[in-house]
Amino acid sequence: MTDSGRAQTDLCLLGDIGGTNARFCLYDSRRDEYAKERILSTAGYTTPEAAIDAYLQAAGAQRPVRAALAVASPVTGDRIRLTNQNWDFSTAGLRDAVGFERLEVVNDFAAQALAVPRLNSRDAVTLAPGSGVPGEVFAVLGPGTGLGVAGLVKSGAGWKALPGEGGHVTLPAVDRRQQAVIDWLRQRHGHVSSERVISGQGLVALYEALCGLAGQQPEGLTPAQVTQKGEAGSDQYCAQALALFFDFLGIVAGNLVLTLGATGGLYLAGGILPRLRESLRGSGFLRCFAAKGRFREYLEAVAVHLVIRENPAFLGLAQVLKD
């Protein structure tokens, strides 16, 4: 094989496609290097093919022959329908239309989970040191446009991701105030999932529910505005919404760790939490995470980490292609 042919084979396209953004990069599998990372708005493109073509054109890159995509939706067959965006496509059809020889499509939090063993000390900060058990199950959880959930288990010489749709489980309440918020949301939305409040729009939903329960008219705030006002303490309902967001995050994270038996540790990921690092540290998250009665000590022994690396899913997607 010529050097140019080998270079084209080594070059791969990686894409992390969520409900709001599609993140792409070029991955050199021989050098284990990532380059030309770019973010495109999914709303600006009608199909993933159009977004991929736009990315490659903007990057001035040759078309790779291999690609791996992480998508914010279940991956149960050839047909992919994004949960929080209107893209609907066939994996085989996309492969042929773009001209890839190989295209792998996985759940976005499967990719996040597969990234965990490849993270270094600069990629994550520890919120609770715990006593992680080497080789045991990891739990991965992260709010963004939606709420991603996955596990990671040892499989032979490597690791296997356990993707799921845990963001859509029914949201639990542990006190009357939380139950009142859920009841208010249920009247508006019917089923109240964990994603309904532990996500970007979830911050707005919590703010509106708290205003409604207090008989106040909410402002038309964005998630960023709720966060900003909540962190600044300039609006009491935004501050309460942010505090409840972290409490619910802790409750759901504790449930996930218990369900998976994730004594290897919990990794918090997604696009929201790295920007709220200090607020997260000062919140009730860890208290709510461990508040499981007789299993408090079990959860207090679990190490909790916050992933701060940009685009960690690329690490997992690279592993998908290697596997």
Side-chain angles (χ1 to χ4, degrees):
M1 181 182 292
T2 65
D3 288 342
S4 61
R6 183 179 295 108
Q8 187 175 11
T9 301
D10 292 336
L11 194 66
C12 311
L13 173 73
L14 305 181
D16 181 14
I17 300 172
T20 302
N21 296 312
R23 296 170 169 84
F24 295 105
C25 81
L26 295 175
Y27 174 64
D28 187 322
S29 60
R30 183 159 54 96
R31 296 185 175 91
D32 196 30
E33 293 177 349
Y34 304 82
K36 299 188 177 181
E37 297 186 13
R38 282 178 167 80
I39 300 176
L40 304 181
S41 170
T42 54
Y45 303 90
T46 56
T47 65
E49 178 186 352
I52 290 170
D53 285 341
Y55 164 74
L56 291 173
Q57 183 176 358
Q62 61 180 320
R63 190 173 297 273
V65 297
R66 295 188 296 155
L69 302 179
V71 293
S73 69
V75 179
T76 57
D78 176 73
R79 201 79 204 169
I80 305 296
R81 296 178 177 86
L82 294 192
T83 302
N84 292 306
Q85 217 279 343
N86 61 4
W87 284 1
D88 181 340
F89 64 95
S90 156
T91 298
L94 177 62
R95 180 197 63 214
D96 294 343
V98 179
F100 295 130
E101 292 179 8
R102 178 185 176 195
L103 171 61
E104 301 290 343
V105 179
V106 299
N107 173 265
D108 59 339
F109 262 72
Q112 295 276 2
L114 289 169
V116 165
R118 305 188 72 189
L119 298 174
N120 61 41
S121 59
R122 300 183 303 276
D123 295 331
V125 295
T126 299
L127 303 178
S131 53
V133 182
E136 290 300 316
V137 177
F138 290 102
V140 186
L141 176 75
T145 303
L147 177 64
V149 176
L152 188 71
V153 299
K154 195 74 173 175
S155 176
W159 293 89
K160 180 176 178 58
L162 299 175
E165 291 301 318
H168 299 281
V169 301
T170 302
L171 182 69
V174 300
D175 59 35
R176 291 182 179 178
R177 182 165 178 266
Q178 292 177 5
Q179 189 60 60
V181 168
I182 291 173
D183 288 343
W184 191 93
L185 291 170
R186 186 178 294 115
Q187 290 178 7
R188 174 172 292 191
H189 301 289
H191 179 244
V192 181
S193 67
S194 294
E195 180 174 289
R196 178 65 65 187
V197 304
I198 310 172
S199 62
Q201 286 302 316
L203 284 161
V204 176
L206 287 170
Y207 162 72
E208 292 176 346
L210 290 164
C211 288
L213 289 169
Q216 301 296 316
Q217 182 65 33
E219 299 179 50
L221 301 181
T222 65
Q225 289 171 328
V226 173
T227 299
Q228 180 182 19
K229 289 174 178 286
E231 290 190 308
S234 59
D235 183 287
Q236 63 172 318
Y237 300 112
C238 289
Q240 291 172 23
L242 191 58
L244 263 181
F245 173 87
F246 290 129
D247 287 354
F248 278 126
L249 177 67
I251 293 167
V252 171
N255 287 350
L256 176 63
V257 168
L258 286 177
T259 300
L260 293 178
T263 54
L266 167 69
Y267 280 80
L268 299 173
I272 293 176
L273 297 180
R275 300 195 296 268
L276 301 179
R277 189 189 315 180
E278 295 309 314
S279 293
L280 175 61
R281 285 186 184 277
S283 75
F285 167 77
L286 287 175
R287 170 181 53 80
C288 292
F289 171 72
K292 302 296 184 187
R294 292 175 294 167
F295 274 75
R296 174 182 293 276
E297 291 185 3
Y298 180 102
L299 287 162
E300 287 176 340
V302 172
V304 180
H305 310 281
L306 171 64
V307 179
I308 59 173
R309 179 188 174 103
E310 289 191 18
N311 303 323
F314 290 158
L315 297 176
L317 288 171
Q319 191 61 48
V320 168
L321 288 176
K322 289 180 180 179
D323 292 342

